[in-house]
Amino acid sequence: MANPIYKVIFHNQSQVYELYARAIYQSDIYGFIEVEEFVFGEKSQLLVDPGEEKLKSEFAAVTRSYIPMHSIVRIDEVEKEGVGKVIEVEGGKITQFPFPASARRPKDPE
């Protein structure tokens, strides 16, 4: 694929964001993923999706976003962009417990 598109799903406070981008990199900042070149639906659409409009306004002036690795749920390479979404998580007042990306599991007993 000459110009891939990625679907990125990640947690942000009490919401799950699903957005599309053309460039994703492991950041030089330890524990972060860089997301660039956001892709949103066509401006000529007749229907307006409030979730995607919220994403457009939130990321309008953003050229690059640094997302913590522990917040990422999934990254998929897709054939074409879809509709970005912001989903409210049930029990939204619960904060995810942060953990270091390099956390090691204890050795198995022999």
Side-chain angles (χ1 to χ4, degrees):
M1 200 175 210
N3 202 359
I5 297 176
Y6 301 96
K7 177 171 71 169
V8 182
I9 303 171
F10 62 96
H11 291 277
N12 185 23
Q13 297 176 350
S14 64
Q15 299 172 325
V16 174
Y17 283 49
E18 180 178 311
L19 54 83
Y20 294 82
R22 293 198 186 276
I24 297 177
Y25 308 98
Q26 184 171 341
S27 178
D28 290 336
I29 303 172
Y30 184 75
F32 286 83
I33 298 291
E34 293 181 30
V35 180
E36 298 178 349
E37 300 179 41
F38 298 103
V39 178
F40 296 104
E42 297 293 320
K43 299 203 184 279
S44 62
Q45 284 181 327
L46 295 176
L47 297 175
V48 176
D49 183 4
E52 187 172 39
E53 289 301 313
K54 178 180 178 182
L55 282 174
K56 279 183 186 180
S57 63
E58 185 169 339
F59 290 96
V62 176
T63 55
R64 178 181 301 139
S65 185
Y66 297 88
I67 301 172
M69 281 189 198
H70 68 271
S71 295
I72 301 223
V73 174
R74 183 175 174 157
I75 298 173
D76 294 325
E77 184 175 339
V78 295
E79 292 182 13
K80 62 180 185 173
E81 75 269 8
V83 178
K85 300 174 190 170
V86 177
I87 303 165
E88 196 71 33
V89 177
E90 289 185 33
K93 295 183 182 182
I94 299 172
T95 304
Q96 180 181 2
F97 185 76
F99 61 91
S102 65
R104 292 185 174 181
R105 291 179 42 192
K107 291 184 178 181
D108 294 329
E110 295 180 10

